[in-house]
Amino acid sequence: MVRPVGRQTVAAVSLRDQGRSRVVSMGISGFEPTFLVGLEAVREQHGSRLGALAGRCLTGYALVRFVEDGEWFADCPVVLDFEGVRVEICHWKFDELSISWNTVDTTAVITGWQESEFTPRWSSADERLQPFVGRKLREVSLLEWRPSGQDLADGTIAVEFAFDAGRFCIANGLDENSIEVGNPHPDFVRHLLGT
């Protein structure tokens, strides 16, 4: 699998189809995502664990950035640490979402990017997420994109984390992750977890 990154190309090192489940390791140690489609599938598989994060503090996070220019490679998972419970979120294609738990090793070197001049590395630098570190998580919701008109992204799922000091979500940026801070777009329908 080859993904464009600016003027460069990055080769993902593993891709295997298993029906609706796919593995795209991208050279990331421990990353073996299972992609789900739709609200019910995500809620059934991960709803209770996501809801159980409420009351914990966000103690850290990790994103993959390129050493050469600091650019975020949004195809890689976003890792959020809530007092030792790590949730790893990764969007793919137009509607697929993988959530994994405590599997990604953010201390290991990312390998296998043969076709890129850039060097990927885990980073804990992000101006959108940094203000939430040390804050207690109030609630977690799944956000379902339900626009009034026809939209290719209809039904995609974002994961929203709400704190007293604000909220952010990890959404589908159409074949990659997107981090959005503040209140979600009005076309999202919120499904609160853990209540």
Side-chain angles (χ1 to χ4, degrees):
M1 173 174 185
V2 178
R3 295 188 181 272
V5 178
R7 295 173 301 216
Q8 300 296 321
T9 300
V10 175
V13 294
S14 174
L15 172 66
R16 78 175 177 250
D17 283 338
Q18 299 175 335
R20 295 184 79 86
S21 175
R22 292 173 175 80
V23 174
V24 184
S25 73
M26 291 184 265
I28 297 172
S29 179
F31 185 47
E32 293 190 7
T34 299
F35 289 94
L36 302 172
V37 176
L39 174 67
E40 292 310 316
V42 175
R43 182 167 36 199
E44 181 179 319
Q45 188 73 30
H46 300 287
S48 60
R49 284 185 85 175
L50 286 167
L53 292 173
R56 292 177 171 267
C57 287
L58 178 66
T59 52
Y61 59 87
L63 308 171
V64 173
R65 291 191 179 276
F66 292 116
V67 172
E68 290 77 8
D69 61 7
E71 177 108 8
W72 174 36
F73 187 48
D75 286 29
C76 295
V78 175
V79 179
L80 304 171
D81 191 323
F82 291 95
E83 299 180 78
V85 177
R86 292 188 337 178
V87 58
E88 303 139 359
I89 300 170
C90 191
H91 289 89
W92 193 42
K93 296 194 175 182
F94 292 113
D95 58 357
E96 298 187 24
L97 169 61
S98 174
I99 299 173
S100 54
W101 300 87
N102 301 310
T103 61
V104 172
D105 183 356
T106 59
T107 64
V109 173
I110 299 170
T111 61
W113 292 31
Q114 307 93 349
E115 296 179 27
S116 175
E117 295 176 11
F118 292 108
T119 308
R121 184 173 294 156
W122 287 105
S123 171
S124 60
D126 190 86
E127 67 277 355
R128 296 161 297 187
L129 297 177
Q130 190 58 44
F132 297 98
V133 174
R135 306 277 184 168
K136 186 184 289 189
L137 182 63
R138 189 169 31 92
E139 61 190 30
V140 181
S141 299
L142 296 178
L143 303 179
E144 182 182 22
W145 183 252
R146 289 295 179 200
S148 57
Q150 256 191 339
D151 189 325
L152 184 62
D154 189 18
T156 60
I157 304 299
V159 184
E160 180 187 55
F161 300 90
F163 303 78
D164 288 336
R167 60 184 65 230
F168 69 86
C169 73
I170 312 300
N172 189 320
L174 300 180
D175 200 28
E176 64 183 17
N177 296 298
S178 171
I179 299 172
E180 301 172 10
V181 177
N183 289 323
H185 190 282
D187 284 344
F188 273 119
V189 176
R190 180 178 282 118
H191 301 273
L192 183 62
L193 300 174
T195 59

